[in-house]
Amino acid sequence: MKKSYKIEVDCTNCASRMEDAAKKIEGVKDASVNFMLLKMKVEFEDGAAPADVMPRVLAACRDIEPDCAIDF
């Protein structure tokens, strides 16, 4: 399952680091962050519930940029 989320990110370097961090979260098959569109696309592993995975993705992103926000 793939989903797209609105994300608040301040710089391209942070967006790249957030993308890498999201890919390491259990339940995430793939992730990409588009800084220009302020969008994060996440492909979830089979059987993973987005409602369970996205809080962990947000926490990982906030380790990089504390004021990051993801609308999910």
Side-chain angles (χ1 to χ4, degrees):
M1 170 188 332
K2 294 181 184 179
K3 289 195 167 221
S4 182
Y5 301 95
K6 184 178 182 300
I7 186 170
E8 297 289 329
V9 59
D10 294 333
C11 72
T12 57
N13 184 43
C14 292
S16 177
R17 292 175 54 209
M18 287 178 190
E19 184 177 300
D20 291 341
K23 290 178 181 180
K24 295 177 183 174
I25 301 297
E26 184 179 340
V28 174
K29 187 173 185 177
D30 194 24
S32 64
V33 176
N34 186 314
F35 174 71
M36 296 301 289
L37 297 177
L38 296 177
K39 293 281 184 186
M40 173 182 260
K41 291 183 181 178
V42 180
E43 182 177 356
F44 298 94
E45 297 281 350
D46 291 337
D52 295 334
V53 175
M54 287 309 294
R56 295 194 307 263
V57 170
L58 177 60
C61 289
R62 285 192 172 158
D63 285 344
I64 296 162
E65 189 174 288
D67 62 343
C68 172
I70 302 173
D71 293 340
F72 55 89

